[in-house]
Amino acid sequence: MSFGDPNNPYGQQPGGQPGYGYPQQAPQGVPQQGYGYPQAPPVPGGYGFPSGPAEMPGGVKAARIMLYVLGGFQVLGAIVMVIGGAWLSDKLSESESYGSTSNQDMADVSMGVFVVVGILTLGIALWAILTAVKFSSGGNGVRISAIVYGSLVTLFSVISLLTTNVFALISIALGIMIIVFCAKQDGAQWFQRPRH
């Protein structure tokens, strides 16, 4: 029996190499592989790197909504402070001793204090809203920002509660939940996931 020319690459070669050329039949009980190399099972992170969750965890979504809610209420509070400062300034200017420099000075100072506090409140509200916006694409810094914001809201709400402000209980609860949801393991995995 002749195998033909041994230098002919298209001819039948003696004792051919397994796995070279066309795919060989798989043994009985082994699933058929595709053409070429056997398929490896897919790796979740690809290239051997671990991946984070594919979808934002429920606790992180809840913390994001709480940041939007607190930020929105703080924007409303800033507007009320500026309007209240203007109203108080007008009332002090129109008091019994109209034209008195002491009443005018008091009106100017009260207006200035309310405007400054309103601007600070607006800045803190923007911090919460911008942090919430970055939840879907941000890294670990966004998580830390949310935890620090929740801590400050909780601290100032406790101080406000000591002045018998019952509504501060809502801010305390929201601040604590923001801290807990962002500090949990699934929250940490979400913010530390690889981004491509």
Side-chain angles (χ1 to χ4, degrees), residues 57-84:
V60 176
K61 286 180 185 177
R64 183 183 200 183
I65 292 170
M66 290 175 210
L67 284 169
Y68 280 129
V69 167
L70 284 172
F73 280 132
Q74 287 172 340
V75 167
L76 291 176
I79 292 170
V80 167
M81 281 184 197
V82 171
I83 292 172

Side-chain angles (χ1 to χ4, degrees), residues 10-34:
Y10 300 108
Q12 184 178 10
Q13 300 295 318
Q17 300 172 356
Y20 180 76
Y22 292 105
Q24 304 295 318
Q25 288 291 336
Q28 191 75 350
V30 176
Q32 178 71 30
Q33 301 291 324

Side-chain angles (χ1 to χ4, degrees), residues 87-191:
W87 178 81
L88 182 62
S89 176
D90 284 344
K91 290 298 176 187
L92 287 175
S93 295
E94 297 173 358
S95 65
E96 292 176 9
S97 55
Y98 182 75
S100 170
T101 56
S102 65
N103 277 353
Q104 188 60 38
D105 290 342
M106 289 264 301
D108 292 342
V109 168
S110 66
M111 178 64 179
V113 167
F114 274 91
V115 168
V116 167
V117 171
I119 290 172
L120 288 174
T121 304
L122 186 63
I124 293 171
L126 289 176
W127 176 17
I129 292 169
L130 291 176
T131 300
V133 166
K134 296 294 284 181
F135 261 43
S136 60
S137 63
N140 201 37
V142 174
R143 176 176 161 255
I144 293 170
S145 175
I147 291 172
V148 169
Y149 176 81
S151 301
L152 290 176
V153 164
T154 304
L155 173 69
F156 288 119
S157 297
V158 166
I159 293 170
S160 179
L161 186 64
L162 295 176
T163 63
T164 65
N165 181 4
V166 180
F167 295 109
L169 288 172
I170 297 170
S171 297
I172 290 172
L174 292 177
I176 290 172
M177 286 192 291
I178 289 171
I179 295 168
V180 169
F181 289 149
C182 289
K184 281 177 43 179
Q185 175 113 13
D186 61 346
Q189 288 175 348
W190 171 256
F191 288 107

Side-chain angles (χ1 to χ4, degrees), residues 41-51 196:
V43 178
Y47 302 111
F49 295 110
S51 70
H196 304 288

